[in-house]
């Protein structure tokens, strides 16, 4: 008997350890790793069977889970059964996504994150953000919050920090972990 392949579901939050130069730079600017020793360069949220909403490649778009997984050294998936088993909340998330599709990536905010990590002053990330633009972690935070599933008061969390918050939240469970692309 063969195992049923993993199916991504709307509301799943997916963390990637990317292998490209931008991914490596993002990981270098974060703390050495989260409490489990993993390092992530990207976080995305599933908006249905059709894929993950991403703030990458300079715009907000949807890519298939398998495509992103193939690019990653490893991938972890978190799920909130309590919240996203509700059709209303799944619909809220899909509606919020439609508002963000095609918007430009917030490149200045990346420099803000760099300034924060170099100087220790969060001022940079808060003041270099362009209204209505996001990077991957702030977009994921915003979509969760707008769907009514707030994970933290602080939206300026890089992927490793968001992972640590989610991994210690009883409403979220790691449902999958993949190695290699």
């Amino acid at each position: 008997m063969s195992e049923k392949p993993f199916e991504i579901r709307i509301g799943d939050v997916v963390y990637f350890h990317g292998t490209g130069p931008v991914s490596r730079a993002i990981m270098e600017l974060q703390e050495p790793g989260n409490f489990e020793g993993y390092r992530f360069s990207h976080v995305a949220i599933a908006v249905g069977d059709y894929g993950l909403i991403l703030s990458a490649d300079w715009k907000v778009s949807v890519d298939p889970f398998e495509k992103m997984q193939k690019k990653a050294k490893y991938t972890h998936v978190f799920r909130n059964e309590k919240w996203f088993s509700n059709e209303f909340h799944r619909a809220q998330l899909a509606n919020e996504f439609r508002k963000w599709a095609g918007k430009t990536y917030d490149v200045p905010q990346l420099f803000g994150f760099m300034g924060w990590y170099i100087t220790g002053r969060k001022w940079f990330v808060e003041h270099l953000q362009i209204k209505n633009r996001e990077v991957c972690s702030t977009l994921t935070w915003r979509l969760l919050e707008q769907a009514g599933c707030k994970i933290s008061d602080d939206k300026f969390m890089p992927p490793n920090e968001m992972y640590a918050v989610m991994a210690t939240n009883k409403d979220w469970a790691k449902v999958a972990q993949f190695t290699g692309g």
Side-chain angles (χ1 to χ4, degrees), residues 109-153:
Q109 194 178 35
L110 280 181
F111 291 108
F113 274 104
M114 284 189 236
W116 177 17
Y117 286 108
I118 292 168
T119 67
R121 293 184 58 213
K122 207 170 200 175
W123 179 92
F124 289 96
V125 75
E126 293 166 345
H127 289 84
L128 289 177
Q129 181 182 23
I130 297 174
K131 187 176 179 175
N132 294 320
R133 291 192 187 175
E134 304 288 349
V135 295
C136 66
S137 55
T138 59
L139 177 65
T140 299
W141 180 93
R142 184 176 301 283
L143 286 168
L144 287 170
E145 181 187 56
Q146 290 173 341
C149 187
K150 189 173 184 176
I151 61 168
S152 167
D153 289 333

Side-chain angles (χ1 to χ4, degrees), residues 58-70:
W58 313 116
K59 68 180 181 343
V60 176
S61 61
V62 174
D63 275 344
F65 171 68
E66 293 79 16
K67 176 183 172 187
M68 290 302 296
Q69 185 186 354
K70 285 179 183 172

Side-chain angles (χ1 to χ4, degrees), residues 28-132:
E28 285 302 315
L29 290 169
Q30 296 183 79
E31 295 297 318
N34 67 34
F35 68 99
E36 293 178 338
Y38 294 104
R39 295 180 72 184
F40 297 96
S41 57
H42 192 72
V43 59
I45 188 165
V47 289
D49 299 338
Y50 45 88
L52 305 171
I53 184 166
L54 304 169
S55 187
D57 298 328
W58 313 116
K59 68 180 181 343
V60 176
S61 61
V62 174
D63 275 344
F65 171 68
E66 293 79 16
K67 176 183 172 187
M68 290 302 296
Q69 185 186 354
K70 285 179 183 172
K71 294 180 179 181
K73 183 175 178 182
Y74 50 80
T75 306
H76 292 199
V77 182
F78 280 83
R79 182 172 291 157
N80 185 327
E81 293 282 356
K82 183 171 98 176
W83 192 259
F84 289 107
S85 62
N86 178 307
E87 182 60 40
F88 174 74
H89 294 134
R90 289 195 304 271
Q92 273 185 299
L93 182 61
N95 287 333
E96 288 303 323
F97 154 68
R98 288 182 189 92
K99 295 176 187 176
W100 288 94
K103 290 196 178 192
T104 307
Y105 191 80
D106 193 357
V107 176
Q109 194 178 35
L110 280 181
F111 291 108
F113 274 104
M114 284 189 236
W116 177 17
Y117 286 108
I118 292 168
T119 67
R121 293 184 58 213
K122 207 170 200 175
W123 179 92
F124 289 96
V125 75
E126 293 166 345
H127 289 84
L128 289 177
Q129 181 182 23
I130 297 174
K131 187 176 179 175
N132 294 320

